[in-house]
Amino acid sequence: MEDERDAAIRAQADRAFRTTASCWFALLALALSFDAGRTTLAANDCAIPGMLLLGVVVANIAGHWRVAMLYRRDRQ
C-alpha cells in the first residue's frame, strides 16, 4: 500500500516538474523570439544558460512542493 501511494505521489511530482519546465522553456522561447528580449540578453553571455538553469530549478521546486502538499494531504 505504501509503495503504491509513493509511486502515485512520485508520478504527480514528475508531472508537475515536466509541466513547469515545459511552460518555462516555452515562455523563454517566446521571449527570445522578440527583438527586445534578445537585445537585453545579448549583453551578457551567461544570461541564456542562466535562464535555462533557473527554469530547471523552478521546475524542481514545483515538483518538491507537489510532493510536500500530497504527503501533507495524506497525513490529515
Side-chain angles (χ1 to χ4, degrees):
M1 176 97 174
E2 286 287 316
D3 291 337
E4 293 172 3
R5 180 185 64 131
D6 289 342
I9 289 174
R10 193 170 32 251
Q12 288 189 17
D14 287 343
R15 193 175 309 118
F17 174 83
R18 286 192 308 269
T19 302
T20 305
S22 297
C23 290
W24 182 274
F25 296 135
L27 290 173
L28 182 60
L30 182 67
L32 291 176
S33 67
F34 297 109
D35 288 334
R38 275 187 300 218
T39 55
T40 56
L41 291 176
N44 186 356
D45 292 334
C46 296
I48 293 175
M51 293 298 286
L52 291 172
L53 182 60
L54 181 61
V56 172
V57 170
V58 168
N60 197 13
I61 290 171
H64 285 292
W65 179 81
R66 184 68 181 149
V67 166
M69 291 299 110
L70 289 172
Y71 276 121
R72 181 176 178 214
R73 182 195 69 189
D74 285 349
R75 192 173 38 191
Q76 291 177 352

